[in-house]
Amino acid sequence: MKLCVDAFDIENKNTCAMTVEKPTMCPICHTSFGGDYVSSQFIPTSNSNKGLVYVAYFCSCCSNMFFSKYSKDWNTHGYLLQSFPRKQKDKTFSKHISLLSPNFVKIYNEALQAETEGLTEICGLGYRKSLEFLIKDYLSFQFPDDTNEIEQLPLGKLIKEKIENRNIKILAERCAWLGNDETHYIRKHEDYNVQDLKRFLDSIITYIDSELTVLEALSIDPK
Ligand SMILES: [Zn+2]
């Protein structure tokens, strides 16, 4: 939907009439709507009527303001570039995973937020950290008497010596390798990236979730 605005030109101190495309979604709460127009500012590039337009909107669903940035060409239309601040939709995990490791869920979603914000050089560290919490909480659940040892041991040693499920062991080991690539100066596995790390992590989650679901099923007594 097009919106006619009188943007305040911050260089020339006058207003500049133009049309902009309303965003279709609030970038914070992801409600599908355009937002209520609040104000707009135009920042011209030197001595021209081209430039950037910032339009402020108010979202009545989450009671936040957000900005949309537009590129204005020679004509009077602003082209939507992006809206911010962007808050990613948290990834939801099964009840088993959420109960097993709330810290994993928190760290994973913080890494996801970093990735959404375009912080691609550091989100991998977050996913690597979430892997460590997931594996340690999983093993502590399996071996409650060894919790202190599990908390102290390095992840690689734990994966090698403690994980009994072969598929989880393989995935966790490779996932840790790719995660280490995200933290070190030299990348050892150049054909893989953060998306592969996430794929492996997702598979580990599926296997652990299945194991926990089987345990839940076993707890049902015949009647
Ligand atoms: Zn909102």
Side-chain angles (χ1 to χ4, degrees), residues 26 28-31 33 59 61-64 66:
C26 168
I28 300 167
C29 71
H30 307 278
T31 300
F33 87 121
C59 171
C61 289
C62 64
S63 297
N64 280 303
F66 68 89

Side-chain angles (χ1 to χ4, degrees), residues 12 26 59 77 127 130-131 133 176 195 197 213:
N12 301 305
C26 168
C59 171
H77 186 68
Y127 290 123
S130 76
L131 169 75
F133 275 74
Q195 297 311 314
L197 191 164
T213 305

Side-chain angles (χ1 to χ4, degrees), residues 72-86:
K72 183 184 163 298
D73 212 333
W74 289 104
N75 61 33
T76 57
H77 186 68
Y79 298 92
L80 182 61
L81 298 174
Q82 60 172 309
S83 297
F84 55 89
R86 284 186 291 171

Side-chain angles (χ1 to χ4, degrees), residues 147-174:
T147 298
N148 286 340
E149 181 198 9
I150 289 165
E151 285 175 359
Q152 300 297 326
L153 281 174
L155 181 64
K157 195 173 170 66
L158 274 178
I159 293 170
K160 198 168 278 182
E161 296 178 3
K162 282 275 188 190
I163 295 181
E164 292 173 343
N165 181 311
R166 184 174 175 272
N167 292 331
I168 296 176
K169 187 194 281 276
I170 291 169
L171 286 163
E173 185 175 58
R174 270 60 175 181

